[in-house]
Amino acid sequence: MTTPSRGRRRAPSRMERAAGKAAALQRPRVILALLLLLALVCVMLLDGYLRAEVGGDQRVRTGAASSDVPDDILNGGPIVTFRGGQATTVSVPDKTIALTFDDGPNPTWTPQVLEILEKYDVPATFFLVGSMVSRYPGIVEDMVGQGHEVGIHTFTHVDLSYQSDTRVRREMEQTQLALAGAAGITTTLFRAPYSSETDAIDNYSWPVYKKLGQDGYTSVFVDTDSDDWKRPGVSKIVQWATPTKNKGASVLFHDAGGERSQTIEALPQYIEKMRAKGYTFTTISGVMELRNAAAPGAFDGSRLQAAHREATGAVLYEGKALVAAVAVAEAAVPTLSVGLMVVGVAVMGRFGMMLILARRHYRQRNRRRFSWGPTVTEPVSVIVPAYNEKECIANTLTSLAHSTHPIEIIVVDDGSTDGTADIAESLGMPNVRVIRQANAGKPAALNNGVRNAAHDIVVMMDGDTVFEPDTVRQLVQPFADPEVGAVAGNAKVGNRTTVIGAWQHIEYVMGFNLDRRMYDLLRCMPTIPGAIGAFRREAVLQVGGMSEDTLAEDTDITIAMHRAGWRVVYQEHARAWTEAPGSLKQLWSQRYRWSYGTMQALWKHRKSLTDKGPSGRFGRVGMPLVVLFQIVTPVFAPLIDLFTLYSMVFIDFRAALLAWCAVLGVQLLCAAYAFRLDREKYRYLLMMPLQQLAYRQMMYLVLIHSCVTALTGGRLRWQKLKRTGEVGTPAGAS
């Protein structure tokens, strides 16, 4: 034997190179799945920000001193400018109305206001909330197109006196971007939320106005407030909005922020009344122009207002991008909300159906008089496909040696490189045959075993699984019914002492076995587990054996059995102990293969949806249930957790927590009942809350990853899991 030279690396094998290539191909899909999840989070945060759920601040300052504010500002006109760095005020000329509206745009009320103004040929200035502009850009475009003037009312309608300089700047810049994206303009006008007349300026808000003045903004206040937001009645609104003694005024109405039907009714009456009194209407820019001209100019709807600036360059494109992003969020979040309601109903419906049918299944199959028919006593063939199972194969074969049912054992060594076949032969068991073949995959190994089986019933198990002494006898009893072509056993997690193992144990008992009871009664069992399943040999040959078309050969052949007219049942008393993945990486690989293989199998048998007879029954009953409960619902279920977390952080922590606990309580109830049926110890359910927080999220990502792979046309290779052999011979097989 030649010793390799020191430092020389062994060349990678063909399988190692293929595995590395497969991993490299999967990495972009994992990244894509994570990016999709990140995009969803961003959409939710954007929608929450637009609705003031994220970053909202409801604080309003009142009763602050105004000692730092100049007297000529406190006693001046409603328009405050800072030209040349000097604060000055501008008053509205007599018999002139600067009609202003706050808090819009609103899809219900603003168009009605615009229609009235157009009818009476009245210009107005609208102080817009940026988040509303980005949600309803078409209204703002119409508004500007009709010749009205717009100003900034912040992006989220916050009291700026509480905010940092960074937040103030962000509120202004984001609103400017929204205006640029909606109407292609920016503006120099600003009205602070919760502001009124200039004499209400205090020591906290004055620095904000000065800073904005230095940035070129003109701050606009109120002379006369209609107080229409109080909904005092049409006559009161008209009365309160009317200046006294023919004075000019900056008059405040609202076109959003609540129910505004009284405003809509009062506005025409107000316009007619003021015109009858000899008043003219203009914009804020028009007021400033009047101070430089002898008489107001005619209202020209096509003229760009003096406060407007045409948006160009980066501002224009960033604004359009903002409006587009908001449109996506506005469409996505309601759609997701409806989807969540559907998913929530489906999840609760599934739990209810599982409980009802599982109880019915248990009571039916455990009645004293229940029988499949004459006791099955003829020998069966047990096929054990094995690839590099040196850690487990001895335990597997030893457990079979103590079977209470007559069996032959066929170990099909699929090109193992670790001496698995030698270990099987060295045990010296008289009823064990070892068949060696070149590595061709698990389906080929199983088919080889079926061809060499000496008996009419074949039991298939994994090379890392151990049976109880009575498992085979229990497993084959349903074959007394000639309609039964295959039987699914009760697979259990043997290595449940770790956290990951305990999580999988809960999943096996509740998610798999409880499901199988339901599917059994509905006669649409989708999967016979690879760890423990029995088949009529003629049925396997009839459907063409184990197929290599998918990575879930167990699901593939189970569906094929249904389509061929065979009945597939679940035998709860036939227990097998399997070694579940011991690390998150191994678990990800296994579940990724399972979920992707299930999708492949469903797609392969999609024609059953339109078939007649037994195939059509599975297609129209079993396939929709599998798609709904194993693909659609799990894919959207993360959104429930995401929305719950979102609600906890940004909306109502207590209500969201109670809702989450209620759902967890329902799941615990289902799990406890499943544990009762399987006679399992309840202490493992203490791990369930943590399972919901950590383990379930990983399963979501696995399924999303599988969906991305399926949609992008990727192919996934079989991935061998690393075994430890820690699942030994079960109790009773000494």
Side-chain angles (χ1 to χ4, degrees), residues 378-384 397 400 403 405-411 430-433 435 449-459 461 472 537:
E378 59 265 28
V380 301
S381 300
V382 180
I383 302 172
V384 185
L397 298 181
L400 291 173
S403 175
H405 194 90
I407 60 174
E408 71 159 347
I409 305 170
I410 302 174
V411 178
N431 60 340
V432 174
R433 279 191 291 155
I435 300 174
V450 171
R451 286 192 298 269
N452 286 275
H455 304 295
D456 294 334
I457 298 175
V458 294
V459 174
M461 65 184 299
V472 176
R537 186 170 180 271

Side-chain angles (χ1 to χ4, degrees), residues 431-506:
N431 60 340
V432 174
R433 279 191 291 155
V434 178
I435 300 174
R436 300 172 187 257
Q437 67 176 37
N439 182 257
K442 185 179 180 180
L446 289 170
N447 288 332
N448 198 354
V450 171
R451 286 192 298 269
N452 286 275
H455 304 295
D456 294 334
I457 298 175
V458 294
V459 174
M460 299 180 184
M461 65 184 299
D462 288 338
D464 62 341
T465 303
V466 296
F467 280 5
E468 295 178 358
D470 205 36
T471 295
V472 176
R473 186 184 69 82
Q474 293 282 0
L475 187 63
V476 299
Q477 294 312 307
F479 289 109
D481 183 344
E483 294 184 357
V484 173
V487 181
N490 188 346
K492 291 186 169 295
V493 175
N495 53 330
R496 59 180 72 173
T497 56
T498 64
V499 173
I500 297 178
W503 287 343
Q504 293 175 83
H505 172 49
I506 296 172

Side-chain angles (χ1 to χ4, degrees), residues 53 231 234 246 249 264 335 356 372 374 382 459 461 465 560 576 583 588 628 631 668:
E53 294 169 352
R231 302 184 64 198
V234 174
N246 293 327
I264 300 301
T335 302
I356 294 172
W372 293 101
V382 180
V459 174
M461 65 184 299
T465 303
S583 69
W588 181 287
L628 178 63
I631 298 177
L668 276 170

Side-chain angles (χ1 to χ4, degrees), residues 32-200:
L32 179 58
L34 293 175
L35 288 176
L36 288 174
L37 187 61
L38 177 62
L40 176 60
V41 172
C42 291
V43 165
M44 290 178 58
L45 291 175
L46 175 58
D47 188 73
Y49 185 52
L50 296 174
R51 300 174 189 275
E53 294 169 352
V54 179
D57 189 342
Q58 304 303 319
R59 294 175 297 175
V60 180
R61 195 184 301 279
T62 58
S66 58
S67 56
D68 296 340
V69 186
D71 289 339
D72 57 347
I73 298 297
L74 293 173
N75 301 316
I79 303 172
V80 180
T81 66
F82 291 83
R83 293 178 180 176
Q86 182 66 35
T88 58
T89 64
V90 177
S91 298
V92 180
D94 291 344
K95 286 199 170 185
T96 303
I97 297 292
L99 194 57
T100 67
F101 294 86
D102 279 7
D103 297 346
N106 176 275
T108 300
W109 310 114
T110 304
Q112 296 183 57
V113 170
L114 292 175
E115 184 178 352
I116 294 170
L117 296 177
E118 184 177 26
K119 176 182 178 180
Y120 287 94
D121 195 25
V122 170
T125 303
F126 291 82
F127 290 93
L128 306 176
V129 177
S131 60
M132 302 296 287
V133 173
S134 60
R135 292 172 63 188
Y136 307 109
I139 298 176
V140 179
E141 186 177 18
D142 292 343
M143 185 184 295
V144 174
Q146 290 181 21
H148 299 292
E149 192 169 53
V150 299
I152 291 177
H153 202 45
T154 73
F155 194 83
T156 59
H157 203 275
V158 294
D159 187 339
L160 294 183
S161 68
Y162 280 104
Q163 311 305 321
S164 66
D165 289 345
T166 301
R167 175 68 182 271
V168 172
R169 184 170 60 253
R170 186 168 69 244
E171 290 282 332
M172 304 299 289
E173 290 177 350
Q174 288 173 343
T175 307
Q176 294 284 30
L177 288 177
L179 289 173
I185 57 112
T186 59
T187 183
T188 59
L189 297 182
F190 167 72
R191 174 178 282 164
Y194 313 108
S195 63
S196 56
E197 301 175 9
T198 53
D199 61 6

Side-chain angles (χ1 to χ4, degrees), residues 404-705:
T404 59
H405 194 90
I407 60 174
E408 71 159 347
I409 305 170
I410 302 174
V411 178
V412 183
D413 183 77
D414 188 34
S416 298
T417 59
D418 64 348
T420 296
D422 296 333
I423 295 173
E425 290 175 338
S426 68
L427 295 176
M429 296 181 180
N431 60 340
V432 174
R433 279 191 291 155
V434 178
I435 300 174
R436 300 172 187 257
Q437 67 176 37
N439 182 257
K442 185 179 180 180
L446 289 170
N447 288 332
N448 198 354
V450 171
R451 286 192 298 269
N452 286 275
H455 304 295
D456 294 334
I457 298 175
V458 294
V459 174
M460 299 180 184
M461 65 184 299
D462 288 338
D464 62 341
T465 303
V466 296
F467 280 5
E468 295 178 358
D470 205 36
T471 295
V472 176
R473 186 184 69 82
Q474 293 282 0
L475 187 63
V476 299
Q477 294 312 307
F479 289 109
D481 183 344
E483 294 184 357
V484 173
V487 181
N490 188 346
K492 291 186 169 295
V493 175
N495 53 330
R496 59 180 72 173
T497 56
T498 64
V499 173
I500 297 178
W503 287 343
Q504 293 175 83
H505 172 49
I506 296 172
E507 182 184 28
Y508 271 60
V509 175
M510 179 186 175
F512 297 160
N513 294 336
L514 208 59
D515 266 351
R516 289 193 179 101
R517 295 177 189 274
M518 176 182 70
Y519 286 126
D520 187 351
L521 287 186
L522 296 176
R523 294 202 172 194
C524 57
M525 181 91 64
T527 304
I528 295 176
I532 175 171
F535 301 83
R536 291 190 190 274
R537 186 170 180 271
E538 64 169 307
V540 174
L541 297 176
Q542 178 186 348
V543 299
M546 309 298 287
S547 174
E548 298 181 0
D549 295 340
T550 73
L551 290 172
E553 77 288 333
D554 45 7
T555 300
D556 193 345
I557 194 170
T558 306
I559 298 176
M561 288 280 184
H562 284 292
R563 299 188 68 187
W566 292 100
R567 185 180 174 190
V568 181
V569 300
Y570 172 59
Q571 176 59 290
E572 62 183 284
H573 301 298
R575 291 181 289 268
W577 299 81
T578 186
E579 182 178 334
S583 69
L584 293 177
K585 181 179 180 181
Q586 294 281 311
L587 180 62
W588 181 287
S589 297
Q590 183 196 66
R591 299 311 168 85
Y592 182 31
R593 176 175 59 81
W594 284 4
S595 59
Y596 185 56
T598 298
M599 293 178 193
Q600 289 178 311
L602 293 174
W603 181 253
K604 176 182 176 180
H605 295 282
R606 63 190 181 276
K607 290 185 178 180
S608 64
L609 289 168
T610 57
D611 285 347
K612 297 180 180 180
S615 179
R617 173 181 171 78
F618 179 84
R620 288 183 287 276
V621 178
M623 189 168 290
L625 288 176
V626 174
V627 171
L628 178 63
F629 291 153
Q630 296 188 23
I631 298 177
V632 176
T633 301
V635 163
F636 286 96
L639 301 182
I640 297 177
D641 294 336
L642 205 58
F643 269 85
T644 301
L645 180 61
Y646 176 91
S647 300
M648 285 182 177
V649 175
F650 299 114
I651 302 178
D652 189 331
F653 177 84
R654 184 176 181 181
L657 181 61
L658 288 175
W660 185 83
C661 289
V663 175
L664 178 61
V666 173
Q667 292 177 310
L668 276 170
L669 177 65
C670 292
Y673 187 65
F675 271 58
R676 178 186 175 188
L677 295 183
D678 270 20
R679 298 181 181 179
E680 291 286 352
K681 297 178 180 178
Y682 293 114
R683 68 170 183 263
Y684 290 101
L685 295 180
L686 296 174
M687 300 292 296
M688 196 165 182
L690 184 59
Q691 184 203 42
Q692 300 300 301
L693 292 173
Y695 178 80
R696 194 172 65 169
Q697 316 310 317
M698 178 179 176
M699 295 300 101
Y700 293 157
L701 291 175
V702 168
L703 188 56
I704 293 172
H705 186 190

